[in-house]
């Protein structure tokens, strides 16, 4: 029996006990961030809960949940900000939770975000544990928690909900659960425009598996190819292992399951975009016009490059320009490191699309760190390095970064905050 003929045994969903260290660590980091925000806000005479639930996008989501679509703001410069730009899953959940509980719409959004952030952390652990083992999984979750803009994970925004759906859809792809992957990808597509990244991952891996079906596959394929853990294989427990766990193409999954999963994946995003086009009377491209009203678009990174270049036109802003260049280079290096470490194809495709959409869009540039938050596979090379350290040292490093980001998050949200 060849490798491709061997039945694929998809690992069971990680038990809560296995993920508990990661989730407890995540909860501790987020609690520190919220406590710091509460103290900082009180000192400035502001309400931390209001900052988390009733500013910027939170207000737009709440308005959709309460009144539906059709609200817009016309600015003096002629721009039209329509709430059609906001995908519907989060408002639907806010409306449902408001109807079932005493929570206000804003409170429901906050509750959904908190629950989704835990689900996202669990998904990040599940994916990383599958590929690199539990120690690296814990480190990946902690790194995702201590991102400089990590406070957004606790806001009534859609980032946590999207990351949860994306992570678990990728896990389903990696373990050959095609129907689950398709449904979760469709839900991710109803959450944010970047749901395209999840759809791209599902379709790319699916097409590769069909091609291998036709060609008879090949023996000894590595992690970069597949999704589906071979029976009896275990993730390397040594964090410094040269490569990720070997997985084999899930050719054992029935053709119809893979095909149906792929067909389900784009339905969420496609249905909403087509609905917006019909509502605006502008056809399939109507959603692009809505985004244009917010000055959002995709220009290949031209506007962002000009924004960075403008920072070097004066001495006071030059350090910010240097920081932006270093940040972009770091992102590219992390992605290429993931390629060299042979991350699974699904993760590479997903991360690549998230990166492209975030860096090459002409949207408000201050939002780019937040838009990059779902790209958690970028953290896996760093998680592997952190996992190599002795436990005491890795705890100290993580705790120090957690304190710094908690202070930064409180400062950020009490100032201009996330757009």
């Amino acid at each position: 029996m060849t490798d491709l003929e061997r039945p694929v045994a998809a690992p069971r969903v990680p038990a809560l006990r296995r993920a508990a260290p990661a989730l407890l660590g995540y909860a501790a980091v987020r609690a520190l961030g919220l406590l710091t925000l509460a103290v900082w806000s009180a000192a400035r005479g502001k309400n931390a809960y209001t900052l988390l639930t009733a500013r910027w996008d939170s207000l737009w989501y709440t308005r959709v949940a309460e009144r539906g679509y059709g609200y817009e703001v016309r600015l003096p410069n002629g721009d039209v900000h329509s709430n059609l730009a906001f995908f519907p899953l989060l408002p639907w959940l806010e409306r449902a939770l408001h109807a079932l509980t005493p929570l206000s719409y804003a409170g429901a959004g906050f509750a959904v975000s908190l629950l989704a952030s835990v689900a996202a952390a669990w998904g990040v652990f599940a994916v990383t544990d599958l590929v690199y083992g539990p120690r690296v999984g814990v480190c990946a979750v902690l790194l995702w928690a201590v991102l400089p803009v990590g406070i957004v994970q606790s806001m009534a925004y859609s980032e946590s909900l999207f990351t949860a759906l994306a992570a678990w859809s990728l896990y389903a792809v990696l373990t050959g659960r095609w129907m689950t992957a398709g449904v979760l990808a469709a839900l991710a597509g109803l959450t944010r425009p970047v749901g395209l990244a999840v759809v791209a991952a599902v379709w790319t891996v699916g097409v590769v598996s069909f091609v291998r079906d036709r060609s008879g596959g090949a023996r000894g394929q590595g992690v970069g190819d597949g999704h589906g853990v071979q029976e009896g294989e275990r993730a390397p427990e040594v964090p410094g292992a040269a490569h990720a766990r070997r997985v084999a193409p899930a050719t054992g999954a029935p053709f119809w399951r893979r095909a149906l999963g792929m067909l389900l994946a784009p339905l969420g995003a496609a249905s909403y975009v087509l609905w917006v086009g019909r509502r605006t009377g502008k056809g399939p491209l109507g959603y692009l016009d809505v985004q244009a009203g917010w000055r959002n678009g995709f220009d290949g990174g031209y506007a962002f490059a000009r924004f960075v270049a403008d920072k070097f036109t004066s001495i006071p802003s030059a350090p910010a320009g240097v920081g932006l260049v270093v940040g972009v280079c770091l992102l590219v290096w992390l992605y290429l490191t993931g390629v060299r470490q042979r991350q699974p194809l699904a993760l590479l495709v997903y991360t690549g699309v998230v990166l492209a959409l975030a860096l090459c869009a002409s949207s408000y540039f201050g939002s780019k760190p937040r838009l990059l938050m779902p790209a958690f596979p970028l953290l896996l090379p760093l998680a592997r390095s952190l996992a190599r350290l002795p436990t005491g040292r890795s705890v100290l490093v993580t705790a120090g970064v957690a304190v710094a980001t908690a202070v930064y998050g409180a400062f950020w949200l009490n100032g201009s905050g996330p757009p």
Side-chain angles (χ1 to χ4, degrees):
M1 181 178 288
T2 67
D3 286 346
L4 291 179
E5 292 169 341
R6 181 184 306 168
V8 174
R12 301 172 68 181
V13 175
L16 183 59
R17 181 180 301 176
R18 184 174 179 87
L23 298 182
L24 290 174
Y26 178 78
V29 173
R30 291 272 38 88
L32 175 63
L34 292 175
L35 177 61
T36 305
L37 174 65
V39 172
W40 192 296
S41 301
R44 293 176 57 87
K46 296 183 178 181
N47 186 292
Y49 181 73
T50 300
L51 295 178
L52 293 168
T53 62
R55 296 182 75 185
W56 303 292
D57 290 5
S58 300
L59 291 174
W60 287 91
Y61 283 120
T62 298
R63 188 174 284 114
V64 173
E66 185 176 4
R67 305 177 186 175
Y69 286 104
Y71 177 81
E72 62 183 28
V73 175
R74 295 184 177 272
L75 304 183
N77 64 357
D79 290 345
V80 178
H81 289 183
S82 169
N83 65 0
L84 290 170
F86 295 87
F87 277 50
L89 185 58
L90 178 57
W92 286 348
L93 294 175
E94 290 179 351
R95 181 180 300 176
L97 193 57
H98 169 74
L100 296 172
T101 69
L103 292 173
S104 65
Y105 287 104
F110 182 60
V112 169
S113 182
L114 288 182
L115 294 174
S117 67
V118 175
W122 194 353
V124 171
F125 172 82
V127 170
T128 310
D129 177 32
L130 183 68
V131 180
Y132 293 117
R135 184 178 175 87
V136 183
V138 172
C139 292
V141 170
L142 293 177
L143 289 174
W144 190 68
V146 302
L147 288 174
V149 293
I151 190 65
V152 175
Q153 296 166 16
S154 300
M155 297 181 68
Y157 272 44
S158 60
E159 273 73 15
S160 291
L161 178 61
F162 175 79
T163 304
L165 294 168
W168 284 108
S169 180
L170 292 171
Y171 180 83
V173 170
L174 292 172
T175 55
R177 295 177 170 91
W178 285 93
M179 301 287 286
T180 301
V183 170
L184 292 176
L187 292 174
L190 283 171
T191 307
R192 297 188 62 80
V194 75
L196 173 65
V198 190
V199 177
V202 173
W203 271 74
T204 301
V205 176
V207 168
V208 168
S209 73
F210 289 144
V211 171
R212 290 211 172 101
D213 277 351
R214 292 180 62 86
S215 65
R219 296 176 64 91
Q221 297 296 333
V223 160
D225 309 315
H227 54 268
V229 181
Q230 286 191 358
E231 186 176 7
E233 289 195 359
R234 295 176 58 85
E237 295 298 328
V238 180
H243 299 293
R245 179 203 301 204
R246 277 188 52 190
V247 296
T251 51
F255 176 92
W256 70 270
R257 284 185 176 274
R258 280 177 280 162
L260 186 54
M262 292 173 65
L263 290 175
L264 288 171
L267 291 184
S271 60
Y272 182 68
V273 168
L274 292 175
W275 179 82
V276 170
R278 181 177 180 180
R279 183 182 177 96
T280 60
K282 297 183 178 180
L285 300 182
Y287 183 76
L288 297 181
D289 288 339
V290 170
Q291 286 286 5
W294 288 79
R295 294 188 179 270
N296 292 334
F298 188 88
D299 61 2
Y302 175 73
F304 184 48
R306 287 192 57 183
F307 174 77
V308 174
D310 288 344
K311 296 295 182 182
F312 292 97
T313 58
S314 65
I315 293 179
S317 63
V322 172
L324 289 170
V325 172
V326 171
V328 172
C329 290
L330 176 61
L331 291 171
V332 174
W333 177 78
L334 288 173
Y335 183 75
L336 294 178
T337 300
V339 174
R340 288 195 301 271
Q341 293 179 351
R342 300 173 67 191
Q343 287 183 8
L345 178 61
L347 301 188
L348 294 176
V349 172
Y350 167 76
T351 308
V353 175
V354 173
L355 271 178
L357 292 177
L359 296 180
C360 298
S362 58
S363 57
Y364 179 63
F365 303 116
S367 65
K368 291 192 181 295
R370 173 172 64 86
L371 299 179
L372 286 165
M373 187 181 299
F376 68 89
L378 288 174
L379 300 173
L380 300 191
L382 298 178
R384 296 183 69 190
S385 298
L386 184 62
R388 294 190 186 101
L389 298 177
T391 301
R393 186 176 300 178
S394 63
V395 169
L396 287 176
V397 170
T398 305
V401 176
V403 170
T405 56
V407 172
Y408 176 74
F411 168 79
W412 189 40
L413 199 53
N414 275 275
S416 61

